[in-house]
Amino acid sequence: MEIIIDLEYIKEIAKEKDEENWGFRAFLKQLDMAPREIDAVVHRIAEEVVSQIDCTKCANCCKQISPVLDKDDVSTFALGLKMPMSEFKEQYLIPDEEAPLNYRFKELPCPFLKNDRCSNYDYRPKDCRSYPHLHKKYFTSRLLGVIGNYEVCPIVFNTYEQLKTQLGHNNWRDDDDFEFGFEWE
């Protein structure tokens, strides 16, 4: 398996394959395969991809995405900084627009990213620990996030591309019996 890590190339390919990626999402949603079977394929591919990528040479997630921090994350992160929680919140966080009880960092890249590494790594939020979330269950219910992370994370990019190959991507696009709900140009 060829692993692509060039972020500029990934971003360029993401633009070129936007429609294809949405079409493949529709295909996965209608695929006659149990969610746990799709998860098993994704987990196997992701594990192989992760073994070939050093996140500390990339850290693009910390540069492009702000994690969601819940109350426990805020408390833990502030503890790691040896800073009062109220001071940490005031200096670094804003309420999350989608979930006002949660927070996000005020700025990108993450203010705690130093030399492509988290300076508070042992106390990082659950969202950071879990990223890129490919190990979780119910992959097909999280495809909006996967497509959003496709151009950000080489792990997501390579996993999604391998998934297309392994699930017969070349066949599904030309299948006249398959309806995506839109026309291919």
Side-chain angles (χ1 to χ4, degrees), residues 39-83:
D39 288 350
V41 173
V42 170
H43 296 167
R44 182 179 43 74
I45 294 169
E47 189 175 303
E48 186 177 338
V49 170
V50 166
S51 74
Q52 298 179 59
I53 293 178
D54 180 357
C55 291
T56 63
K57 293 189 184 333
C58 176
N60 202 38
C61 53
C62 303
K63 297 170 187 171
Q64 301 290 323
I65 301 171
S66 182
V68 174
L69 289 79
D70 64 17
K71 183 180 176 184
D72 291 338
D73 290 324
V74 172
S75 174
T76 301
F77 207 85
L79 178 70
L81 296 172
K82 297 177 177 45
M83 177 184 278

Side-chain angles (χ1 to χ4, degrees), residues 7-17:
L7 294 172
E8 290 302 316
Y9 179 76
I10 289 172
K11 195 170 190 167
E12 181 182 317
I13 294 300
K15 286 179 186 157
E16 290 175 17
K17 292 191 173 190

Side-chain angles (χ1 to χ4, degrees), residues 18-184:
D18 186 58
E19 189 174 319
E20 176 182 309
N21 287 339
W22 286 102
F24 188 65
R25 175 188 178 270
F27 168 78
L28 287 172
K29 291 282 196 181
Q30 296 182 19
L31 187 62
D32 188 22
M33 212 172 151
R36 71 179 179 284
E37 292 176 276
I38 294 172
D39 288 350
V41 173
V42 170
H43 296 167
R44 182 179 43 74
I45 294 169
E47 189 175 303
E48 186 177 338
V49 170
V50 166
S51 74
Q52 298 179 59
I53 293 178
D54 180 357
C55 291
T56 63
K57 293 189 184 333
C58 176
N60 202 38
C61 53
C62 303
K63 297 170 187 171
Q64 301 290 323
I65 301 171
S66 182
V68 174
L69 289 79
D70 64 17
K71 183 180 176 184
D72 291 338
D73 290 324
V74 172
S75 174
T76 301
F77 207 85
L79 178 70
L81 296 172
K82 297 177 177 45
M83 177 184 278
M85 197 164 85
S86 59
E87 184 181 325
F88 170 64
K89 284 174 26 179
E90 184 179 322
Q91 190 171 349
Y92 294 104
L93 302 178
I94 57 173
D96 182 24
E97 291 177 10
E98 295 176 22
L101 296 177
N102 293 330
Y103 297 88
R104 291 187 179 271
F105 289 113
K106 286 181 181 179
E107 58 187 60
L108 284 175
C110 176
F112 300 97
L113 183 65
K114 307 291 183 232
N115 299 318
D116 288 342
R117 293 176 186 254
C118 179
S119 63
N120 201 20
Y121 186 81
D122 290 336
Y123 301 91
R124 70 195 185 282
K126 291 180 282 296
D127 220 11
C128 297
R129 291 177 189 275
S130 178
Y131 192 82
H133 315 296
L134 296 175
H135 65 286
K136 293 181 176 182
K137 293 180 179 180
Y138 309 112
F139 178 77
T140 56
S141 68
R142 296 179 291 99
L143 287 168
L144 293 176
V146 171
I147 290 174
N149 289 322
Y150 177 90
E151 72 176 80
V152 173
C153 178
I155 294 170
V156 174
F157 174 86
N158 286 282
T159 299
Y160 203 63
E161 287 301 308
Q162 283 297 314
L163 188 62
K164 290 177 193 176
T165 299
Q166 291 192 21
L167 293 181
H169 169 256
N170 294 331
N171 297 330
W172 62 264
R173 197 166 157 178
D174 297 326
D175 186 353
D176 292 335
D177 296 331
F178 189 80
E179 291 292 327
F180 290 107
F182 61 89
E183 294 289 322
W184 290 103

